[in-house]
Amino acid sequence: MTTLGNSRKAATLAAAVVLAVGGVAGCAKKDTGGTTDSGVALIKAGTLTTCTHLPYAPFQAKDDTGKVVGFDVEVVDLVAKKLGVTQEIIDTPFEGIKSGADLNAGKCDIAAAGMTITDERKKVLDFSDPYFDATQALAVLTGSSVKTLDELVGKRVGVQGSTTGEDYIKAQVAEKGLKIEVVSYKDLAAQQQALATNQIEAAVNDLPVWNEYIKTNPGKVVVAAGFDTGEQYGFAVKKGNAELLKAVNDSLTAARADGTYDSIYANWIGAKPAS
C-alpha cells in the first residue's frame, strides 16, 4: 500500500511538473514575426526593426533622455507609418550592417546607418533609392594651418573603420604616395575624441557629421577641406525583400512630393541645397 501510494504521488507530481513547464514555455513563446496588411513580412509583429550604429549624429544618436533621434530615424518613421507599425532601433557594429549579416540573420528588417551605396555593398544588400547626397570632409582643431591632405605628410589622420571615408583616404594616400599614418577608429565618437585630444592631426568623415559636431562643440574643430566623392546614402534591406524595399521607396517618393522630406532635412541638416 505504501509503495503504491508513493508511486501515485510521484506520477501526480511528474504530471504537475510537465504542465508547469509547458505553461512557462507557452508564456515565453518566441515572436515569430508577422505580416502587415499590405503584405510586408517583418521579423517582429507590429514593429519595423532598424539596425544602426551609434552615434552618428545628425543621422542617428541618443538625446539627453536616451532616445535615438535623427534624420534617418525620422525618415524611417515614415516607412513604419506607411506599414501601420512602429519603429524599433537596434544599435549594432557597422561591419554587420554593411556585410548584410545582420539582415540575413533576422536581426532587423532594415538598415539605416548613414550608409553610402556602393557596388560592393550592392552584392550583399538591396538598397533603396538614394535619400541623401554626402560629401567627405577633413576636420582639424581650431587654429591648425592644415588645409589639404598633402599637408599631413608625417602626421596621423583618423578615419572611421569600415566606412567609405576610410576607403577614400587610404586610396588617396596610396595613389599619391603620401607618408601619412591612417588610424582607424571603431566609431565616430572615438574618432572625434581622438581629434579633440590631439591624438591625431586631422580626421575625415561625412561633412554633415562634422557640421553637427561643430554646432554642439563650438570653437573646438573646423572643416579644413571637402572631398566631393559623389556618394549617396541608401537604406538597405535583405537581398530579395522586394515588398519592404517598395514600401521604403514609396515612402521616400511621397515625402519628397509633399514637402515632408525637406522639413526633416531642414530640421536635422539645415537649408536644403538647390537641386
Side-chain angles (χ1 to χ4, degrees):
M1 289 291 293
T2 302
T3 302
L4 180 59
N6 287 340
S7 298
R8 286 174 177 172
K9 287 179 180 178
T12 301
L13 179 60
V17 170
V18 169
L19 288 172
V21 171
V24 171
C27 292
K29 184 179 179 182
K30 184 179 180 181
D31 189 339
T32 55
T35 303
T36 66
D37 292 341
S38 56
V40 176
L42 300 173
I43 63 169
K44 185 177 179 181
T47 304
L48 178 64
T49 307
T50 303
C51 277
T52 195
H53 182 51
L54 302 172
Y56 205 67
F59 298 96
Q60 51 271 322
K62 291 183 179 180
D63 64 13
D64 293 339
T65 69
K67 180 182 179 182
V68 180
V69 298
F71 182 85
D72 284 3
V73 178
E74 286 201 26
V75 177
V76 175
D77 271 341
L78 299 178
V79 181
K81 183 178 180 180
K82 176 179 177 61
L83 295 175
V85 299
T86 57
Q87 179 182 187
E88 181 179 301
I89 299 172
I90 295 175
D91 182 19
T92 185
F94 189 67
E95 181 59 40
I97 294 174
K98 76 166 190 174
S99 67
D102 289 337
L103 288 165
N104 290 334
K107 191 172 185 177
C108 46
D109 301 299
I110 184 171
M115 183 162 53
T116 300
I117 302 169
T118 69
D119 289 339
E120 188 65 24
R121 292 172 183 173
K122 283 181 180 179
K123 295 176 183 177
V124 293
L125 301 166
D126 278 347
F127 278 99
S128 69
D129 295 334
Y131 72 91
F132 189 85
D133 295 330
T135 300
Q136 295 292 329
L138 179 72
V140 297
L141 290 177
T142 300
S144 171
S145 61
V146 172
K147 297 295 181 184
T148 66
L149 192 61
D150 293 4
E151 295 174 66
L152 290 164
V153 170
K155 307 293 185 181
R156 289 159 55 90
V157 177
V159 296
Q160 184 176 344
S162 300
T163 65
T164 52
E166 178 184 45
D167 295 341
Y168 177 78
I169 292 304
K170 285 185 174 180
Q172 287 293 302
V173 168
E175 182 181 319
K176 295 182 177 181
L178 300 175
K179 299 297 183 182
I180 294 174
E181 183 182 353
V182 179
V183 184
S184 297
Y185 293 91
K186 66 177 182 177
D187 56 36
L188 176 65
Q191 181 195 32
Q192 291 175 332
Q193 178 66 13
L195 179 60
T197 55
N198 271 311
Q199 296 175 51
I200 50 179
E201 187 76 15
V204 174
N205 215 308
D206 291 355
L207 178 58
V209 166
W210 288 121
N211 286 342
E212 179 69 16
Y213 183 80
I214 291 169
K215 184 169 67 176
T216 56
N217 298 273
K220 290 187 177 182
V221 169
V222 295
V223 172
F227 309 112
D228 188 3
T229 54
E231 296 177 47
Q232 292 181 305
Y233 290 169
F235 299 120
V237 301
K238 182 179 178 179
K239 271 286 185 183
N241 193 347
E243 293 81 7
L244 179 54
L245 189 63
K246 183 178 185 303
V248 174
N249 286 334
D250 286 350
S251 295
L252 286 172
T253 298
R256 290 183 186 280
D258 65 15
T260 304
Y261 176 89
D262 287 353
S263 177
I264 295 173
Y265 193 106
N267 183 40
W268 291 103
I269 311 298
K272 190 171 181 294
S275 56

